[in-house]
């Protein structure tokens, strides 16, 4: 989700209603910038789009490894007594993934579900542009996540010892245990939080502000245990590699399909369409 929104693009001379310098971008300015970003993404070559998607998937798997290493190493008895502690540690680490992706460079299918949809409803790009971008980014996210998971987590035996082993296996089996409807519903707020993070990050004009805006929404969805399709490209496959009773069919049908659909609703409708409706002067 590379966001080409630097200080030079911002309206730095803008003032608040009190006449003081305004050190942030308004919702109206952010929505216009998102539409411009959609054009930028649509104009990339297929190779550039795939590279951005691959790097984002790789970052998600690497940061997922960090989060599992930090959160999964607690004594099971302690975790049972104080389950929120594990959630906070794990989620606090995972929330840094969005910063890596946005600042270094990378595109997440989940973030693009909002960005490209906003471009379409602003008539900046076509439906075909959206579909092509979503297709390329989704499968390049998947390839980046799977390759990173296998090479840097499984082959290095990051979770071969207890209590990590039981945790990664149990989490993978748990994620395919939801009904289609529950997985779909848990996916909507997951991507709404991620896209709120992207949106809020665009309001900030400095790296500290962006980090705070990126970090909190992702932390929130992870603590709540909502379902994020790209994150699950790490969490479920690593469990499968370590022996979880999950087939490829289970992964696709019981988790990936409903979660992708829910993520699209969360990004495109909950964030993208609501922003469009709240800023009528932009259209």
């Amino acid at each position: 989700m590379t966001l080409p929104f630097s200080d030079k693009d911002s309206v730095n001379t803008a003032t608040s209603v009190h006449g003081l310098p305004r050190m942030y971008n308004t919702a109206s300015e952010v929505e216009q910038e998102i539409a411009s970003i959609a054009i930028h993404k649509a104009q990339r070559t297929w190779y550039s789009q795939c590279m951005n998607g691959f790097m984002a998937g790789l970052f998600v798997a690497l940061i997922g490894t960090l989060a599992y290493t930090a959160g999964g190493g607690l004594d099971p008895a302690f975790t049972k007594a104080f389950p929120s502690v594990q959630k906070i540690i794990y989620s606090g680490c995972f929330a840094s993934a969005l910063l890596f992706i946005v600042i270094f460079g990378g595109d997440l299918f989940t973030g693009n579900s909002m960005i490209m949809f906003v471009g379409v409803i602003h008539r900046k790009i076509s439906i075909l542009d959206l579909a092509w971008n979503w297709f390329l980014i989704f499968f390049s996210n998947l390839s980046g996540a799977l390759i990173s998971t296998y090479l840097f987590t499984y082959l290095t035996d990051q979770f071969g010892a207890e209590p990590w082993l039981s945790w990664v296996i149990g989490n993978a089996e748990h994620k395919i245990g939801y009904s289609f409807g529950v997985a779909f519903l848990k996916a909507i707020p997951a991507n709404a939080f991620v896209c709120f993070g992207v949106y809020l990050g665009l309001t900030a004009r400095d790296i500290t502000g962006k980090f705070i805006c990126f970090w909190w929404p992702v932390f929130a969805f992870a603590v709540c245990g909502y379902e994020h399709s790209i994150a699950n490209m790490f969490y479920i496959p690593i469990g499968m590699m370590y022996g979880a009773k999950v087939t490829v069919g289970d992964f696709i049908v019981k988790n990936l399909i409903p979660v992708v659909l829910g993520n699209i609703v969360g990004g495109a409708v909950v964030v993208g369409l609501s922003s469009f409706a709240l800023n009528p002067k932009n259209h």
Side-chain angles (χ1 to χ4, degrees), residues 94-276:
F94 184 75
S96 63
L98 191 57
L99 182 72
F100 277 78
I101 293 166
V102 174
I103 301 303
F104 181 83
D107 274 24
L108 281 175
F109 167 79
T110 45
N112 282 10
S113 69
M114 172 195 70
I115 292 169
M116 303 305 285
F117 183 75
V118 168
V120 168
I121 58 180
H122 276 277
R123 299 181 181 179
K124 301 292 185 180
I125 64 171
S126 68
I127 290 289
L128 184 60
D129 291 328
L130 175 148
W132 182 235
N133 176 268
W134 283 5
F135 173 82
L136 290 177
I137 298 302
F138 179 84
F139 285 102
S140 55
N141 283 167
L142 178 62
S143 63
L146 291 179
I147 290 172
S148 178
T149 300
Y150 182 71
L151 292 179
F152 309 129
T153 307
Y154 179 67
L155 289 186
T156 60
D157 202 22
Q158 188 75 17
F159 305 125
E162 295 292 355
W164 292 278
L165 180 61
S166 296
W167 198 47
V168 298
I169 291 175
N171 281 350
E173 293 175 348
H174 178 73
K175 283 180 174 293
I176 60 97
Y178 298 122
S179 68
F180 188 99
V182 169
F184 173 79
L185 290 175
K186 288 175 76 71
I188 294 174
N191 200 34
F193 272 123
V194 171
C195 291
F196 280 134
V198 173
Y199 193 98
L200 294 174
L202 285 169
T203 68
R205 294 180 178 177
D206 64 282
I207 194 66
T208 302
K210 289 182 182 294
F211 176 78
I212 295 170
C213 291
F214 294 151
W215 190 87
W216 273 106
V218 179
F219 174 76
F221 105 72
V223 165
C224 293
Y226 293 137
E227 293 291 305
H228 187 272
S229 57
I230 312 306
N232 286 352
M233 292 175 183
F234 165 74
Y235 294 132
I236 296 178
I238 190 59
M240 294 167 66
M241 292 175 192
Y242 274 106
K245 296 179 181 179
V246 179
T247 66
V248 173
D250 291 334
F251 175 36
I252 295 172
V253 175
K254 296 182 179 181
N255 186 272
L256 210 53
I257 290 175
V259 171
V260 165
L261 294 175
N263 285 169
I264 290 173
V265 172
V269 179
V270 176
V271 181
L273 191 59
S274 63
S275 172
F276 182 80

Side-chain angles (χ1 to χ4, degrees), residues 22-65:
R22 176 160 56 79
M23 303 307 295
Y24 63 92
N25 302 303
T26 66
S28 179
E29 290 168 347
V30 168
E31 191 189 356
Q32 292 180 59
E33 184 61 23
I34 291 174
S36 297
I37 292 169
I39 297 173
H40 172 74
K41 291 180 183 292
Q43 291 175 343
R44 287 175 174 166
T45 64
W46 70 268
Y47 172 79
S48 177
Q49 294 194 58
C50 287
M51 280 302 301
N52 275 271
F54 181 88
M55 289 306 300
L58 180 143
F59 279 131
V60 167
L62 289 178
I63 300 301
T65 301

